[in-house]
Amino acid sequence: MARHADLNMLTALDALLTECSVTRAAERLQISQPAMSSALARLRRHFGDDLLTRAGHSYQLTPLAARLAAATADVVAAADQVLSAQPDFDPARSRRTFTVIMSDYALTVLGAAVAALIDRQAPHVRLHVQPTTRQNVDQAAEELREVDLLVLPHGIVTGLPHRNLYQDEWACLVDAAAGAELTVADLARRSWVLTYHDGTAITTAARELRTHGIELDARLVVESYTVLPALIAGTERVALVQRQLGAAMAETGRVRLVECPFPTAPVVEAMWWHPGHENDPAHRWLRQCFADAAIQVQQ
């Protein structure tokens, strides 16, 4: 935009192009709807373009607006980083809220250790954990403009800064009364419970199985790991789970963990972040907390 356009207009533009709604954009910026309508009118005059055009009961971006959307989001994110930058970060005094996307598996493995470190070092800092979904994984680069970390295994997202946290292995989860061994034929015969088997397939379990020629009879697909014991106990169903998670589930006595009857590739869990966070002292502290927690749980 021209030099006379201020940052508030850029922020309004970003909200409008993201929400495709004057009402939702106003709610996002916590301003009145008339004020947002006025901002849209100014932006339309500036660009000589409608930016948002009505399509039935909703709005859609004009071709120019679609081209502006990604660039505007990047500029606003960069401006936020600049304006919130501090020469250092004192965790003991900070009241910052960090947002992290992670599955219930990663939360089971890392959550308690991370929370303990934050409690000890930063008693006023808040950690907001959001669940992994197909949408926020497919759009990881965009999500990480506003989210601090995405905890996810390798093989799903690429092209973003990351740091490996820990390594895990695959094992089979079956009913507690099942035998201590499984064959490949058993796995092909049984009904499977798959996790996140949609779009990006956040878990690589299905790919791992098909690598070994096992065609799945997937009767149940769930977007959670921690519900698996309830779906497997007392049945012939089986699931492929990360060993650390499966071991915790087996402690309930309802299910048991059985070795896979074939070699499996390791699960390498990592944390991913937006390049704009790279040199933020607060963000570096958060990443170190996760790295330290990962060391603790592997000991």
Side-chain angles (χ1 to χ4, degrees), residues 33-63:
Q33 186 169 333
M36 183 55 73
S37 295
S38 176
L40 176 59
R42 289 178 58 192
L43 289 164
R44 283 171 166 168
R45 289 195 299 271
H46 175 87
F47 287 105
D49 186 87
D50 284 342
L51 300 176
L52 299 177
T53 58
R54 185 171 289 280
H57 296 293
S58 60
Y59 285 90
Q60 65 182 16
L61 302 182
T62 66

Side-chain angles (χ1 to χ4, degrees), residues 177-232:
E181 294 184 0
L182 287 172
T183 66
V184 172
D186 290 330
L187 299 185
R189 174 182 57 82
R190 285 174 177 259
S191 173
W192 281 82
V193 184
L194 294 182
T195 49
Y196 297 101
H197 187 57
D198 183 23
T200 47
I202 294 174
T203 178
T204 55
R207 283 179 286 175
E208 188 69 37
L209 290 164
R210 290 197 173 100
T211 298
H212 297 277
I214 299 173
E215 288 302 319
L216 303 177
D217 179 15
R219 304 281 182 85
L220 285 170
V221 178
V222 295
E223 294 195 8
S224 171
Y225 292 100
T226 53
V227 299
L228 291 177
L231 299 175
I232 289 174

Side-chain angles (χ1 to χ4, degrees), residues 22 48 54 69 94 111 116 145 153 186 211 236 261 295:
V22 172
R54 185 171 289 280
S94 175
R145 290 192 180 101
D186 290 330
T211 298
E236 284 283 301
I295 292 172

Side-chain angles (χ1 to χ4, degrees), residues 86-89 96 98 121 148-149 163 271 273 277-292:
Q86 296 178 341
D88 52 24
F89 175 71
R96 182 163 169 171
F98 294 98
Q121 298 179 24
D148 293 287
L149 288 178
R163 180 173 176 178
M271 56 181 165
W273 60 90
H277 296 316
E278 187 72 36
N279 297 315
D280 177 3
H283 202 272
R284 287 202 302 266
W285 171 83
L286 178 68
R287 300 197 301 263
Q288 192 60 52
C289 281
F290 271 77
D292 291 343

